[in-house]
Amino acid sequence: MNTRDTLKINEKGHLEIGGADCVELAKHFGTPLYVFDEAYIRRMMRTYQDTIDEEYDRNGLVLYASKAFSCEAIYAIAKQEGIGVDVVSGGELYTAMRAGFPAEKITMHGNNKLPREIAYAMECGVGTIVIDEYSEADLLDAEAAKRGVVQNVLIRVNPGVEAHTHAYVQTATPDSKFGFSIGSGAAAAITKYVLGKKHLRLKGYHCHIGSQIFEKQSFVLAVEKDLAFMADVKKSLGFEAEVLNMGGGFGIWYTDEDEKIDAEGYRGYLRALLSAVKSGCAAHGLKLPFVNIEPGRSVVGEAGITLYTVGAIKDIPGIRKYLAVDGGMFDNPRFALYQSKYTAVLANRADEKPAEIVAIAGKCCESGDLIGTEFNLPKANLGDIVAVLSTGAYNYSMASNYNRNFIPAAVLVKDGKAEYIVKPQTYEDLVRNDVIPDRLR
Ligand code: LLP
């Protein structure tokens, strides 16, 4: 089990998160329920920013990648911690603005930002927009001209680094819908194009090589390729980048097949990256750029768990035993999408030894609706509370109302006390936007 301060087993044999008893949480708030430990989230945000401040002379800003978990409270926490955020849609931006997040500390991404999203970003005064296509540069320039402003932009480049992770979350390979390839010359060509735009101020470059990556070397290699490119552009176009945004991607613990990295370990990842920036700049005669990183998963992933209640048990002798819970792919589609593995615990009997391997199935009408197939648990009974660990990232944010199930509520725990940060849905919420045209009545 995850050994960080977040989770422990109390004297009743119950799982605790952030000092709150999971059995009590399930009783009070119902299941399924997302639960987040505030201290973990703050610790990670602070660790990253402190590392930049200490190792890189305060010359950088952490941007929490809010696609990992977006709701108003998370932007409120990031604001209090003094870091920035990245957003990838009008919806994430709207949520951040509603939470009172300072627009100048927001960076906006997207490989196909809609004209209305671009207009909205400028209306909000978003600090930086990352260009991912020529047509977007045109749109941005026109929108900025209309408003009589000059917009700070970065260009997303693809350094062509292959990191070991699931193919769908790998982004910097040659075949990618993201960014401009450095190797092919596309990145240099768009640089020239953007430099010609009157209402855009090109600050530098962004890259993101993928997610759930454990090799420091992949990040170092990406830095080296980016800096070599920046040196080329300085020579050929006379443009010296002031900003280098290295994206996110640090891996987290899901099962014991993954490394367990504590705050100090993540500091080590960032230190390796920053030291590659320093040595690369020295080697190429570049001035040190302002650095951004965009961690998402590693900030919220291990901070979160999901609580479920076992409602049915199906034992198919010699084949498999299924525990069916009251959630499923509608609150966690990651097994269905990526065959992602998780660790589960019976929260009401967390001190008992595992006795059997079971699959945890959801309640959706399809066979692929599984949280996973290989959970090592004590023999479960109906009514037991299952806690699936490390669900804080890309669960709520990828949840759906499939089968018209409710997207679970989320609570935030601080010093043993839990409060809603996302309220439960109601049947009314599900039909809120439904319309029956008159001719069907
Ligand atoms: N910056 C950019 C431009 C990104 O595209 C991403 C993630 C991040 C930062 C944050 O990366 P992180 O630190 O969270 O690894 N739905 C998938 C993950 C997709 C990640 C997409 N981009 C999953 O559930 O594993």
Side-chain angles (χ1 to χ4, degrees):
M1 190 162 85
N2 168 319
T3 54
R4 255 47 74 61
D5 306 344
T6 305
L7 302 177
K8 69 173 208 201
I9 297 168
N10 67 19
E11 64 290 345
K12 291 185 190 148
H14 297 173
L15 182 71
E16 261 186 28
I17 174 164
D21 184 314
C22 290
V23 178
E24 296 302 321
L25 290 175
K27 230 186 259 165
H28 187 78
F29 294 99
T31 59
L33 181 71
Y34 298 112
V35 188
F36 288 83
D37 177 29
E38 182 173 335
Y40 191 98
I41 295 171
R42 288 186 184 274
R43 186 159 65 237
M44 287 308 300
M45 290 178 174
R46 211 168 289 163
T47 295
Y48 286 131
Q49 189 59 52
D50 284 353
T51 307
I52 291 181
D53 292 349
E54 288 156 22
E55 307 277 331
Y56 199 71
D57 218 11
R58 297 179 183 274
N59 193 21
L61 184 67
V62 174
L63 306 173
Y64 162 64
S66 64
K67 77 203 73 179
F69 177 55
S70 175
C71 67
E72 290 183 41
I74 197 79
Y75 296 105
I77 294 176
K79 179 181 171 185
Q80 284 185 350
E81 290 298 333
I83 64 168
V85 298
D86 90 38
V87 299
V88 294
S89 69
E92 285 184 358
L93 176 56
Y94 178 76
T95 312
M97 296 307 289
R98 279 251 311 203
F101 201 84
E104 67 278 7
K105 281 186 168 173
I106 300 179
T107 288
M108 185 163 200
H109 289 287
N111 71 308
N112 180 19
K113 298 175 200 71
L114 309 177
R116 66 172 159 76
E117 290 177 318
I118 287 178
Y120 178 47
M122 288 208 180
E123 188 185 310
C124 296
V126 159
T128 306
I129 299 182
V130 182
I131 293 180
D132 206 331
E133 200 27 75
Y134 279 87
S135 53
E136 190 190 337
D138 296 341
L139 261 172
L140 272 171
D141 189 50
E143 193 64 40
K146 206 161 80 189
R147 291 164 196 270
V149 296
V150 176
Q151 175 66 46
N152 285 341
V153 296
L154 301 180
I155 290 171
R156 179 159 181 167
V157 297
N158 179 347
V161 173
E162 286 195 36
H164 291 146
T165 185
H166 191 283
Y168 287 1
V169 294
Q170 230 180 42
T171 41
T173 57
D175 178 6
S176 173
K177 70 169 181 168
F178 295 106
F180 293 89
S181 156
I182 289 177
S184 73
I190 179 84
T191 299
K192 199 165 168 198
Y193 190 73
V194 171
L195 285 171
K197 295 284 184 191
K198 264 214 203 89
H199 294 273
L200 301 182
R201 184 181 299 118
L202 180 60
K203 302 288 282 183
Y205 297 97
H206 168 274
C207 85
H208 169 78
I209 57 173
S211 200
Q212 186 61 1
I213 297 167
F214 284 101
E215 301 114 34
K216 281 196 185 94
Q217 208 39 42
S218 301
F219 296 104
V220 168
L221 194 62
V223 167
E224 286 170 359
K225 294 204 174 188
D226 289 346
L227 291 176
F229 166 69
M230 280 157 57
D232 282 351
V233 164
K234 185 180 169 190
K235 242 182 259 154
S236 59
L237 299 174
F239 169 70
E240 184 159 11
E242 291 165 46
V243 175
L244 177 60
N245 181 331
M246 290 303 300
F250 302 139
I252 68 165
W253 176 92
Y254 286 101
T255 71
D256 286 337
E257 289 173 14
D258 303 314
E259 246 176 84
K260 267 184 199 154
I261 306 171
D262 57 10
E264 202 42 45
Y266 287 111
R267 197 183 276 273
Y269 272 81
L270 188 45
R271 209 179 270 142
L273 192 154
L274 293 172
S275 105
V277 173
K278 286 190 244 177
S279 56
C281 284
H284 291 291
L286 293 169
K287 43 175 203 253
L288 289 175
F290 185 84
V291 165
N292 290 128
I293 56 157
E294 300 175 327
R297 190 190 307 271
S298 57
V299 173
V300 289
E302 290 187 54
I305 63 174
T306 309
L307 300 179
Y308 302 102
T309 303
V310 178
I313 300 176
K314 182 158 293 169
D315 194 358
I316 311 172
I319 298 190
R320 202 187 289 285
K321 187 169 182 178
Y322 287 96
L323 305 185
V325 296
D326 46 0
M329 65 193 293
F330 60 91
D331 64 76
N332 181 359
R334 296 190 71 258
F335 182 81
L337 276 173
Y338 321 116
Q339 300 79 47
S340 300
K341 292 186 178 167
Y342 283 94
T343 299
V345 178
L346 291 188
N348 52 321
R349 295 155 50 198
D351 54 348
E352 286 181 30
K353 283 214 161 49
E356 57 184 11
I357 305 284
V358 295
I360 297 179
K363 66 184 286 295
C364 293
C365 293
E366 77 178 70
S367 306
D369 171 28
L370 297 165
I371 303 296
T373 52
E374 279 170 45
F375 293 100
N376 196 7
L377 291 179
K379 200 161 175 304
N381 301 313
L382 297 182
D384 277 339
I385 306 296
V386 172
V388 178
L389 311 184
S390 292
T391 58
Y394 304 111
N395 275 228
Y396 173 75
S397 62
M398 295 205 297
S400 74
N401 286 120
Y402 185 43
N403 286 179
R404 293 236 147 168
N405 285 300
F406 296 137
I407 294 175
V411 297
L412 185 68
V413 175
K414 182 174 192 289
D415 301 329
K417 274 193 61 189
E419 290 165 288
Y420 278 125
I421 49 175
V422 180
K423 287 191 295 193
Q425 293 188 323
T426 61
Y427 283 135
E428 184 56 33
D429 291 326
L430 298 179
V431 295
R432 191 174 302 283
N433 295 328
D434 289 10
V435 177
I436 303 179
D438 277 345
R439 64 188 172 76
L440 298 183
R441 292 204 178 258

